[in-house]
Amino acid sequence: MDQPTEQPSKGHTRTRSAVKATRPRSSTKGPLDVDDVPLTSPGPLSPPHTQRMTLQPQPRSPGPASPLPRSAAQSPVPRRPAPRPKDFSFLLRPEIYHPLTPLAIPTAFRSDPSKQPTPETPIPDLLARGQFRAAAIAATTALTGPDAPAPSDHARIFSLLYTRLACLTLIDGTAIAAQEVKTLEDLNSVVYVDETTGEHLVPWELRVLNVRLQALGFGDPRRAVMSYYDLAREARARLAAVMARHDNSARELWKDRLADVGIRVAGALVEMDDLTGAAHHLGSLPEREGDGGKLAMAKALLWLHLGDVGAARRCVKGEGVEETAEKVVQALCDMADGEYQTALDRWGELKEESDDEMIVVNMAVCLLYVGRMQEGKSLLEELVACGRSSHTLLFNLTTMYELCTEKARSLKIKLSERVAAMNESVNGWEKTNADFKL
Amino acid sequence: MSHQRYPSHDAVKEPHSVSLKVLRLSRPSLVTQFPLQPPLSDPSSRQQPLAPASLAYSPHDGSDVDTNPAPFVLSPIVNLPPSFGSAYVGETFSCTLCASHDAVNLLAPGQDESALPEVARSIRDVRIKAEMKTPGVGAPVTPLDLGPGSDKGIDLAAGETLQKVVDFDLKEEGNHVLAVTVSYYEATDVSGRTRTFRKLYQFICKASLIVRTKAGPLSVGGQGQRRWVLEAQLENCGEDAMRLEKVVMDLELGLVYSDCNWEASGTQRPLLHPGEAEQVCFVVEEAVGDGGSVDERASEEDGRVVFGVLGIGWRGEMGNRGFLSTGRLGTRHVEPKKVAA
């Protein structure tokens, strides 16, 4: 380590609570340290430099009397002549992965033999067909079966692990994913870094997904904010490095990633119900050129969620906001004001201009509020007939079924049959009982 | 909301051909989403588009406008209220009542469709009536207005629904009962009869805001008008955050007030999380007429100056409105201590 450890002035001493004790020790810095690496840092990043940023374990307790065991044992000696191959066999143990049963799947999705994947179906096919449960199972089989990757084959292991975890979140299995992700422990550990190049071995998308899942798994939502800041710091350093190299394509990639993580911080704050914090954070993010007012939309939705309709309306008044986005927010604001008829008229106008699923669903909801549920129900059924099947669409339609009859169950089962008859697509094919309130 | 079917009014013990279902219409909620990168995507120079299955609604093909602010967690598509939730004093209780011609209802359990006599029963003149019983002792039952449209009975073909919406301002804590009566005329080829049933929906209305007030004298103003300061603590005792929108005083004749709160200072409206309190303050004084003197002394009741009432308006999640006003506030007038020069 090229950084001396005698700087206890940085960051405060922490008393670790009982809950946190179950969490792996992490080298995260606080969000306030984000300016440590200036965006304009000159020169490309040399490998030891990268290591210092991402790997240096922060001293949690002052004084050298309590060295961190892991850093003492595995602290990389810079320029070790021949690094040992990495061993990720701890991710190949079958006991980590939970079995996924088809019990929560409506029968309609299990009856058509042509749509039942076989164990031989390749994972990319499953993903393209929206068979995410099958893909999650296939990823586990690939990780733990006879053809499991070598413990050092980090690219394949992490690709399969990401497939597994991402698919779990798509099939209402986020709780399971949050348990399974714990095996990764601290992704900032040196275990995950190539000792010669200083590159992080874990793909970026897995590191991003890991933040939210670990926060859920360890019951420590605040951690997510800090971990995103960690990623943001790294993205900024990378961005500075590629800009110095005039590598334009890599620059766009890191810019995208930095912006993405910035928005995810706000999401983490919303998830922990710190809505004011999220609003402040979104307010601090720079508008990106050509984003069509996405940030303005995000801010407006947050204000609506908070109940400040005036602030929401102001968000979309500015330049650079797409006209459609502005109309959408205005219609949502009318609904928040309880002016459902006005909102309904706006959704009706928008529906003429666009075939956006959201516009039709929101219009149908408005119809129910003004006492015209029958029309709303027909609108939603038309959407299903057009091949749409988002969770929201199905939820609202089954709610209307429940209002129409004492015997909604048969209607719901018929709906599940119609959805199961749809073509498989990357939008997701298989649904759960919960989607139909069965 | 617990509900029970009231014993049927009519003597016929046959299942009803019309069913009644209700849904409380709180504000719809924005759907959350957790967008992610598609698995197994090739590393490339640009960030890949997010996996469509991780978005709250499918992105539409071929259009240039994307309304989804992904990767943000909130999306503009809305869900109907999933459950009854909590009802709070100060809110408007909205509810939709749906009476449907439930053709399948004619079948008793285990009964075959062919076992029915002529299925051709027509349902005519369906009407819904609703009333609210409030917790006050001996409080009258309030008949509710049903919208939209007139309360004329309508005919329902099988599978059709008569939908109504009721609104009721919640003003009291405690047990409320929404009583809904459905009546219709059931006609077969040879005969017909009027049938009625009633369902009761009971729910508890909780306090949303605790208001504590304190009034004290201020020094007499320049024109000899008496002045007071009124402070109030507003505590959110509900379960959801609320954004205070306005605090206003409705004063007795001859009094005016100035607001010393966020409107006066131009700061953001306070957000109250559950259990949090906000202190507000007003200066109340006797009105000074055109002549530059106090026209009329503030009215006093038993030596007590009565100011008027304090009204508090707020917005909850998705802009759900709340408003409540206090009882009549006032203070025993005491001359402020003279400060020695």
Side-chain angles (χ1 to χ4, degrees), chain A residues 294-313:
Chain A
K294 273 196 171 198
L295 184 60
M297 173 67 95
K299 287 181 193 166
L301 295 179
L302 184 57
W303 285 120
L304 269 174
H305 189 63
L306 266 164
D308 196 329
V309 180
R313 286 192 201 271

Side-chain angles (χ1 to χ4, degrees), chain B residues 193-208:
Chain B
R193 56 187 170 168
T194 299
R195 300 192 67 188
T196 302
F197 68 90
R198 186 172 156 94
K199 271 182 165 182
L200 303 177
Y201 300 89
Q202 182 180 328
F203 64 95
I204 292 178
C205 179
K206 298 186 231 174
S208 49

Side-chain angles (χ1 to χ4, degrees), chain A residues 237-275:
Chain A
R238 295 292 186 126
L239 183 57
V242 297
M243 278 167 80
R245 277 209 310 271
H246 302 291
D247 183 345
N248 284 339
S249 62
R251 187 186 65 193
E252 290 310 310
L253 175 66
W254 285 106
K255 270 190 175 173
D256 288 349
R257 287 180 170 174
L258 185 56
D260 177 274
V261 169
I263 298 282
R264 286 178 196 273
V265 170
L269 290 166
V270 171
E271 271 202 273
M272 57 200 243
D273 230 8
D274 183 358
L275 300 178

Side-chain angles (χ1 to χ4, degrees), chain B residues 40-56:
Chain B
L40 303 186
S41 51
D42 297 323
S44 75
S45 57
R46 283 304 289 254
Q47 183 99 324
Q48 295 285 312
L50 296 159
S54 66
L55 303 178

Side-chain angles (χ1 to χ4, degrees), chain B residues 105-249:
Chain B
N105 238 4
L106 290 170
L107 287 173
Q111 197 178 359
D112 193 295
E113 206 154 341
S114 57
L116 275 179
E118 308 89 289
V119 193
R121 290 186 195 196
S122 64
I123 302 299
R124 292 186 203 147
D125 199 25
V126 181
R127 291 161 196 267
I128 306 178
K129 273 195 197 127
E131 44 194 27
M132 185 72 83
K133 187 169 180 333
T134 49
V137 181
V141 173
T142 320
L144 301 176
D145 286 334
L146 282 81
S150 68
D151 53 2
K152 233 177 93 223
I154 66 153
D155 302 346
L156 291 181
E160 280 187 346
T161 299
L162 168 65
Q163 190 203 357
K164 293 284 176 188
V165 178
V166 294
D167 294 315
F168 180 78
D169 290 334
L170 297 169
K171 291 184 178 135
E172 290 172 82
E173 275 178 61
N175 236 342
H176 286 66
V177 181
L178 173 69
V180 187
T181 310
V182 177
S183 64
Y184 59 97
Y185 184 79
E186 187 182 67
T188 59
D189 289 344
V190 286
S191 67
R193 56 187 170 168
T194 299
R195 300 192 67 188
T196 302
F197 68 90
R198 186 172 156 94
K199 271 182 165 182
L200 303 177
Y201 300 89
Q202 182 180 328
F203 64 95
I204 292 178
C205 179
K206 298 186 231 174
S208 49
L209 203 60
I210 298 173
V211 184
R212 301 182 190 88
T213 57
K214 187 178 107 177
L218 281 178
S219 57
V220 172
Q223 273 80 36
Q225 75 275 33
R226 291 186 295 174
R227 306 197 306 157
W228 302 267
V229 60
L230 177 74
E231 296 164 89
Q233 261 184 11
L234 317 175
E235 184 188 326
N236 179 356
C237 57
E239 285 149 21
D240 307 299
M242 54 167 74
R243 182 168 291 271
L244 294 180
E245 195 161 58
K246 55 178 177 181
V247 280
V248 286
M249 295 213 64

Side-chain angles (χ1 to χ4, degrees), chain A residues 86 88 90-91 154-155 157-159 161-162 165 181 184-194 198-211 231 234 238 254 257:
Chain A
K86 294 279 184 186
F88 293 113
F90 62 97
L91 297 172
H154 56 84
I157 293 176
F158 291 132
S159 167
L161 186 61
Y162 181 71
L165 297 174
V181 80
L184 286 172
E185 297 201 3
D186 182 7
L187 278 191
N188 288 327
S189 154
V190 288
V191 176
Y192 295 108
V193 175
D194 187 306
E199 289 284 325
H200 208 291
L201 297 175
V202 180
W204 184 260
E205 60 269 20
L206 178 53
R207 295 173 71 190
V208 172
L209 179 60
N210 172 68
V211 171
L231 291 175
E234 186 176 333
R238 295 292 186 126
W254 285 106
R257 287 180 170 174

Side-chain angles (χ1 to χ4, degrees), chain A residues 123-124 127 132 159 162-163 166-167 169-170 204-205 209 212 249-250 252-253 256-257 260 263-264 266-267 270-271 273 275-276 280 282 288 294 297-299 301-309 322 324-325 328 332 335-338 340 347 354-358 361-362 365 367-374 377 388 390-392 395-396 399-400 402-407 426-428 437, chain B residues 5 19-28 30-32 34-41 44-48 50-61 63-82 96 98-102 104-105 107 147-148 159-165 199 241-243 245 268-269 271 273 315-321:
Chain A
I123 295 178
L127 293 172
F132 299 123
S159 167
Y162 181 71
T163 304
C167 286
T169 67
L170 297 179
W204 184 260
E205 60 269 20
L209 179 60
R212 173 163 177 262
S249 62
E252 290 310 310
L253 175 66
D256 288 349
R257 287 180 170 174
D260 177 274
I263 298 282
R264 286 178 196 273
V270 171
E271 271 202 273
D273 230 8
L275 300 178
T276 340
H280 275 289
L282 281 185
R288 294 187 87 200
K294 273 196 171 198
M297 173 67 95
K299 287 181 193 166
L301 295 179
L302 184 57
W303 285 120
L304 269 174
H305 189 63
L306 266 164
D308 196 329
V309 180
E322 292 276 357
T324 311
V328 166
L332 287 171
M335 291 170 82
D337 281 338
Y340 295 106
W347 293 124
S354 157
D355 68 337
D356 197 318
E357 177 181 2
M358 175 268 297
V361 169
N362 288 359
V365 168
L367 281 166
L368 188 146
Y369 276 78
V370 299
R372 290 159 62 187
M373 179 178 60
Q374 298 276 28
K377 193 173 67 162
R388 310 281 190 169
S390 70
H391 301 288
T392 311
F395 175 87
N396 286 325
T399 303
M400 290 187 187
E402 287 174 349
L403 280 173
C404 286
T405 169
E406 289 278 2
K407 303 264 169 86
V426 72
N427 290 342
K437 297 209 220 168
Chain B
R5 199 182 265 260
S19 70
L20 174 71
K21 303 282 282 190
V22 306
L23 175 70
R24 182 178 174 204
L25 295 180
S26 324
R27 291 283 188 272
L30 299 173
V31 175
T32 53
F34 300 100
L36 44 81
Q37 292 284 307
L40 303 186
S41 51
S44 75
S45 57
R46 283 304 289 254
Q47 183 99 324
Q48 295 285 312
L50 296 159
S54 66
L55 303 178
Y57 54 97
S58 54
H60 47 122
D61 332 298
S63 170
D64 48 342
V65 186
D66 185 7
T67 50
N68 193 331
F72 190 53
V73 68
L74 297 174
S75 74
I77 198 167
V78 297
N79 263 346
L80 288 167
T96 184
C98 299
S100 308
H101 180 179
D102 235 351
V104 275
N105 238 4
L107 287 173
E160 280 187 346
T161 299
L162 168 65
Q163 190 203 357
K164 293 284 176 188
V165 178
K199 271 182 165 182
M242 54 167 74
R243 182 168 291 271
E245 195 161 58
Q268 212 172 43
R269 294 164 178 166
L271 179 74
H273 286 106
R315 304 294 288 266
E317 190 185 320
M318 265 309 272
N320 192 27
R321 277 204 182 85

